Amino acid sequence: MHRHIYATFARDTIPGGRAVVGPGDDCAVVRSLASDGPEILVTVDQVIEGRHFTGPLRSGHNGPGTTIDLVARKLIARSVSDIAAMAGTPTWAVATGALPAGFNQAMATELFAAMARRARHWGCPLVGGDIATYCRTDTPLTLTATVAGIPHPRRAAVLRSGARIGDNVYVTGKIGNSFASGRHLTFEPRVIEARWLADVLGDSLHAMIDVSDGLGMDAGRVALASGAAIALDAAAIPLHEIAQSWQTAIADGEDYELVFTCDAAAQVPPHCPHTGTAITRIGTVVRITDTSPAGSVVVRDQDTTGAPTVYNVADAGWDHGRSDRVR
Amino acid sequence: MHRHIYATFARDTIPGGRAVVGPGDDCAVVRSLASDGPEILVTVDQVIEGRHFTGPLRSGHNGPGTTIDLVARKLIARSVSDIAAMAGTPTWAVATGALPAGFNQAMATELFAAMARRARHWGCPLVGGDIATYCRTDTPLTLTATVAGIPHPRRAAVLRSGARIGDNVYVTGKIGNSFASGRHLTFEPRVIEARWLADVLGDSLHAMIDVSDGLGMDAGRVALASGAAIALDAAAIPLHEIAQSWQTAIADGEDYELVFTCDAAAQVPPHCPHTGTAITRIGTVVRITDTSPAGSVVVRDQDTTGAPTVYNVADAGWDHGRSDRVR
């Protein structure tokens, strides 16, 4: 919804020399010191009660439902996933919390301790923060995390815009039904997988994104940024057991799996050896046409008679800025 | 109010090696790359409707009252002031906005364009951000800005903890009545003054903070971090014309002036030559005693008979985490 706003950032900042990659990718890439200095990846995300989790929060971190620990985990993990999507390594974090009036002090302490613990777990210790209190008791808890990282030591940050015609398209893990299953609170950001992919594929790894809004919409972002289209094979899309169909799974969002494209000649192992996460080829980067402009994502499936059918799914996903599902 | 929470961050992060200065100062100081890499300053602040400004916002940036431009300005300026308080130079920023449902699209665009413009003005272009929408229309607009900077080129970041017994205590500009006058929306962060102070004073500049919560409370933070007390001279405190008395002025907060301590032998010019901002000596760093423990700030004044009176003012200020003034 706010794409045009993000676009104004980019025009403002790219000429400054210090921003190598401005808004519109998973992270910004900045040089803090000088135009030839080291690059830093930076991303910021919000987690809002009623939008990204269902309140009220409860103490502890065991059992079903939404706990303080799981919300803190999701806050940090979302930003860490953005660093992973550039094949970077998280290095530090700062966070804010805006708490409803009367928010229990012990729970506030537990919340920020959980953020600090989760941030340290993923290698980006919480070095600062700001806590404010709303005037009213019924204002939704609003959290933000800014996470910085460093690029892969032997190659540049993996952008959305690097996909080339003929590239194979892959996804890590499985997708679908993240909200209903609760996986949106417990997913593991694919930092290890991303680093390993950059290790083994090097510069053959052309483009990457994490699936936050839905495989359809996020693959569309890679296609759009790369001036290409993407064709997916319905039968190849790896679905979680409880996902109903590829049609719902690619629009569910919050999978936080990685979608990447790489040179068709590259050898991509079927699993990450460090974590066992499956790596599945799901499609190809294709040339744009009159009926399939830049940013298109088509899925090739068979109808009930076995005849081939093509769906355009680049708008299939969950826009966190909107109040309902985009379907 | 949340000091104990910030303290948990510090314990978590300092051992990591990458955080040189953790939470509890104006900025964190981090090394992103390696333990011997370049230092980065980082700070994050929130601006919340009803807490840091009075809604509703209106478009445009002229005339009285709270405009979108002034709120964007305040958001960026607060974090830039934290960078100034370390004698640093701002280099980049990321921001978030959580907007009430139905927030006017044109106003959202204006808000983020204003943030980008203000950030660029202070040298820290907005390289990324995140925009979300609340489910309800009556939720307060909630903004955050993370600003990074670099330390002064010839000395380390100026911390709160460096004050030494016998140091003189100075303040830039004048204090008092920032809310009532509207100055809390239009203040100029003291980046130029801070850099110049580090230029001319070098390592004689021992400690610094920006006055966000009140001169009393913020001087108390320098004293506490330095294991000392501070004695101020009531007659020396430079007040804005409309400030009622030193007693109210030191508790008003949101002055965003710098309070610093330096070696008693240092020559401190009376004005910053680049901006004309006055530099006024207001007191001395003193040894702690049984009645004046670390963190104490006393003000020496005369009562109506001319007899000396001493006030302890280390709690005089505005705690943004609380729902009313702390007096």
Side-chain angles (χ1 to χ4, degrees):
Chain A
M1 183 163 77
H2 297 292
R3 199 177 296 172
H4 70 288
I5 296 181
Y6 297 128
T8 68
F9 294 0
R11 280 198 299 275
D12 278 340
T13 56
I14 293 293
R18 284 206 172 92
V20 181
V21 176
D25 215 304
D26 295 293
C27 302
V29 182
V30 292
R31 290 193 172 101
S32 255
L33 295 168
S35 57
D36 60 350
E39 290 181 357
I40 298 169
L41 314 176
V42 60
T43 184
V44 62
D45 261 315
Q46 305 181 82
V47 164
I48 298 174
E49 184 177 355
R51 178 67 75 195
H52 301 98
F53 69 92
T54 310
L57 278 186
R58 55 180 193 70
S59 195
H61 52 270
N62 290 316
T66 305
T67 64
I68 285 177
D69 184 62
L70 287 176
V71 167
R73 186 188 193 284
K74 179 169 186 174
L75 175 72
I76 304 298
R78 289 187 75 197
S79 287
V80 167
S81 182
D82 282 327
I83 300 287
M86 308 286 263
T89 300
T91 49
W92 54 263
V94 296
T96 66
L99 313 177
F103 192 82
N104 181 302
Q105 273 285 300
M107 285 173 67
T109 304
E110 185 179 336
L111 176 63
F112 281 85
M115 287 184 204
R117 188 173 61 246
R118 294 298 182 175
R120 197 176 58 231
H121 169 75
W122 282 304
C124 48
L126 206 55
V127 297
D130 187 64
I131 307 171
T133 309
Y134 288 115
C135 300
R136 285 181 8 200
T137 57
D138 62 347
T139 305
L141 181 67
T142 301
L143 307 173
T144 80
T146 301
V147 173
I150 53 173
H152 189 271
R154 291 196 308 277
R155 59 154 292 160
V158 185
L159 308 185
R160 297 178 181 181
S161 55
R164 302 183 199 170
I165 311 298
D167 276 3
N168 286 326
V169 180
Y170 293 82
V171 67
T172 61
K174 298 175 181 177
I175 67 159
N177 222 10
S178 178
F179 273 107
S181 66
R183 202 180 318 107
H184 73 108
L185 293 168
T186 60
F187 68 90
E188 188 64 35
R190 298 307 193 188
V191 178
I192 294 170
E193 290 81 355
R195 197 181 313 159
W196 163 76
L197 285 168
D199 284 344
V200 296
L201 297 173
D203 290 332
S204 300
L205 177 60
H206 290 163
M208 193 152 61
I209 194 170
D210 67 323
V211 180
S212 55
D213 295 333
L215 176 60
M217 190 176 282
D218 288 317
R221 290 176 173 139
V222 169
L224 184 66
S226 303
I230 285 178
L232 301 179
D233 173 8
I237 298 171
L239 306 181
H240 273 286
E241 291 68 18
I242 52 169
Q244 295 180 301
S245 66
W246 71 260
Q247 286 91 339
T248 58
I250 63 164
D252 280 344
E254 302 256 2
D255 296 299
Y256 300 103
E257 295 294 348
L258 299 173
V259 170
F260 64 93
T261 86
C262 67
D263 198 286
Q267 297 293 319
V268 180
H271 296 92
C272 172
H274 308 301
T275 61
T277 303
I279 312 291
T280 308
R281 177 166 178 259
I282 56 172
T284 312
V285 179
V286 297
R287 218 172 281 282
I288 61 174
T289 66
D290 287 348
T291 55
S292 132
S296 301
V297 179
V298 298
V299 178
R300 295 188 175 123
D301 198 7
Q302 298 183 328
D303 67 16
T304 48
T305 68
T309 316
V310 173
Y311 302 83
N312 194 332
V313 298
D315 292 329
W318 166 249
D319 186 335
H320 286 87
R322 293 182 56 155
S323 51
D324 359 74
R325 296 229 158 199
V326 182
R327 291 298 290 278
Chain B
M1 180 164 82
H2 296 292
R3 197 176 300 173
H4 70 287
I5 295 181
Y6 297 128
T8 67
F9 294 0
R11 280 198 298 276
D12 277 339
T13 58
I14 294 291
R18 285 208 173 90
V20 182
V21 176
D25 215 304
D26 295 293
C27 300
V29 182
V30 291
R31 289 192 173 103
S32 256
L33 296 169
S35 57
D36 60 350
E39 289 181 358
I40 298 169
L41 313 176
V42 60
T43 183
V44 61
D45 261 315
Q46 304 180 82
V47 164
I48 297 174
E49 184 177 355
R51 178 68 74 196
H52 302 99
F53 70 93
T54 310
L57 278 186
R58 54 180 193 72
S59 196
H61 52 273
N62 291 313
T66 305
T67 64
I68 286 176
D69 183 63
L70 287 176
V71 167
R73 186 189 193 285
K74 179 168 185 174
L75 175 71
I76 305 297
R78 289 187 76 195
S79 288
V80 167
S81 182
D82 282 327
I83 300 287
M86 309 287 264
T89 299
T91 49
W92 53 263
V94 295
T96 66
L99 314 177
F103 193 81
N104 182 301
Q105 272 285 301
M107 286 174 67
T109 303
E110 185 180 337
L111 175 63
F112 281 85
M115 287 184 202
R117 188 172 61 247
R118 295 298 184 175
R120 199 178 56 232
H121 168 78
W122 282 304
C124 48
L126 206 53
V127 296
D130 187 64
I131 306 172
T133 308
Y134 288 116
C135 300
R136 284 181 8 199
T137 58
D138 62 346
T139 304
L141 181 67
T142 302
L143 308 174
T144 78
T146 301
V147 174
I150 52 172
H152 188 273
R154 292 197 306 279
R155 60 153 293 160
V158 185
L159 308 185
R160 298 179 181 181
S161 54
R164 302 182 198 170
I165 309 300
D167 275 3
N168 285 327
V169 179
Y170 293 82
V171 68
T172 61
K174 298 174 180 177
I175 67 160
N177 222 13
S178 178
F179 272 107
S181 66
R183 202 179 318 107
H184 73 106
L185 293 168
T186 61
F187 68 91
E188 188 63 38
R190 298 307 193 188
V191 178
I192 295 171
E193 291 81 356
R195 199 181 312 159
W196 162 76
L197 284 168
D199 285 344
V200 297
L201 297 173
D203 289 333
S204 299
L205 176 60
H206 289 162
M208 192 150 64
I209 193 170
D210 67 322
V211 180
S212 56
D213 295 333
L215 177 60
M217 190 176 282
D218 288 317
R221 289 176 174 141
V222 169
L224 184 66
S226 302
I230 284 178
L232 301 178
D233 174 8
I237 298 170
L239 305 182
H240 273 286
E241 291 68 17
I242 52 170
Q244 296 181 301
S245 66
W246 71 260
Q247 285 91 340
T248 58
I250 64 163
D252 279 345
E254 302 258 1
D255 297 299
Y256 300 102
E257 296 293 348
L258 299 173
V259 170
F260 63 92
T261 86
C262 68
D263 197 286
Q267 297 293 318
V268 181
H271 296 91
C272 172
H274 307 299
T275 61
T277 304
I279 311 291
T280 308
R281 177 167 179 257
I282 56 172
T284 311
V285 179
V286 297
R287 216 172 281 283
I288 61 173
T289 65
D290 286 348
T291 56
S292 135
S296 300
V297 179
V298 297
V299 178
R300 293 186 176 125
D301 198 6
Q302 296 182 330
D303 68 16
T304 48
T305 69
T309 317
V310 172
Y311 302 82
N312 194 332
V313 299
D315 291 329
W318 166 249
D319 185 335
H320 285 87
R322 292 181 57 151
S323 51
D324 0 73
R325 298 228 159 201
V326 183
R327 293 297 291 278

